Amino acid sequence: MIQTILTNHIPNSSHDAAVMLPLVREADQSLSLLFEIRALSLRSQPGEVCFPGGRIDSDDANPVSAASRELCEELGLTLNDIHVLSPSALEPIMSPRRGTIHPFLCYIQNPDTIKPNAAEVSSTFRIPLKYLLENPAEEHQTSFEFSFAKSFPFERIANQSAYQNRKQTYTEYVIQYDGHIIWGLTARMIVAFTSMLKAGDFAV
């Protein structure tokens, strides 16, 4: 009975998202990463810098399909305009609010054809990959405190002292370039990507 239930069970991934890190080859053959600035009319994070992406829909075959679809919708491109480098290029990122985020890499074949969807994207800009590799992100320590509802049976759990007034500290990355500020999950993806390149002795 349990095995039948498990066999027929489909994990709920309705909160999961997929993101595309778009690479562009410049006229001098150097590489840049392309970023979006979210439209000010959006309810969520208006005006912030991000990569193309969004929630994985039930119609998406897989996360990389979702990331490709979102990129095309936001930048006015077609699937023929992009070349996905690998379906598993970067490690997924866990987010308490957004579930699992799946980042992928692609080339935009002809960036001159980009026509941002004004409902979602106010503008785009690029940062040379060389700059990101040679200028490490700022690191800032951030913490948040665990808070339990008054109804939580705190007195009945083991090891109470380990959770009383507990704080979680983590590193928040900040990248500045040409007046733009990049932080949060977008900065974490950049740090993961550039760290992978450095570990592989990638030269620009």
Side-chain angles (χ1 to χ4, degrees):
M1 180 64 175
I2 293 178
Q3 184 172 5
T4 301
I5 293 173
L6 290 174
T7 302
N8 296 326
H9 175 68
I10 299 175
N12 182 3
S13 59
S14 60
H15 295 295
D16 291 355
V19 173
M20 193 68 79
L21 280 65
L23 287 166
V24 172
R25 194 168 292 281
E26 306 290 359
D28 62 0
Q29 297 304 301
S30 64
L31 290 171
S32 297
L33 268 177
L34 183 138
F35 297 83
E36 298 177 349
I37 299 180
R38 292 172 61 82
L40 294 176
S41 57
L42 293 173
R43 288 186 299 174
S44 174
Q45 300 173 301
E48 292 197 19
V49 176
C50 67
F51 289 119
R55 186 167 292 180
I56 300 172
D57 291 343
S58 57
D59 293 337
D60 294 316
N62 47 47
V64 71
S65 296
S68 300
R69 173 184 55 76
E70 288 282 350
L71 180 145
C72 291
E73 291 175 0
E74 294 172 17
L75 297 181
L77 300 176
T78 69
L79 293 177
N80 291 330
D81 296 318
I82 66 173
H83 171 63
V84 178
L85 296 179
S86 171
S88 57
L90 294 176
E91 292 292 332
I93 295 176
M94 299 298 297
S95 168
R97 292 178 55 223
R98 297 181 179 86
T100 302
I101 300 176
H102 304 268
F104 302 95
L105 294 164
C106 79
Y107 280 120
I108 294 181
Q109 312 282 24
N110 184 4
D112 292 336
T113 61
I114 291 175
K115 295 179 181 178
N117 178 352
E120 298 187 64
V121 182
S122 66
S123 62
T124 65
F125 67 95
R126 307 174 197 171
I127 300 182
L129 193 54
K130 180 179 176 66
Y131 177 89
L132 295 170
L133 287 168
E134 295 179 350
N135 296 273
E138 300 173 18
E139 296 186 13
H140 302 275
Q141 297 304 306
T142 307
S143 63
F144 60 89
E145 187 172 345
F146 287 83
S147 178
F148 294 88
K150 290 182 179 180
S151 60
F152 186 82
F154 204 82
E155 71 284 354
R156 302 207 300 268
I157 66 173
N159 199 23
Q160 297 175 18
S161 60
Y163 302 98
Q164 197 103 37
N165 301 320
R166 183 181 178 186
K167 288 186 178 181
Q168 182 73 43
T169 301
Y170 66 99
T171 301
E172 189 74 72
Y173 298 103
V174 176
I175 297 168
Q176 299 187 58
Y177 180 81
D178 195 26
H180 299 291
I181 300 293
I182 306 168
W183 69 291
L185 293 173
T186 302
R188 284 176 61 186
M189 293 178 205
I190 296 171
V191 170
F193 177 43
T194 54
S195 297
M196 181 186 71
L197 294 182
K198 290 175 182 178
D201 199 23
F202 178 82
V204 260

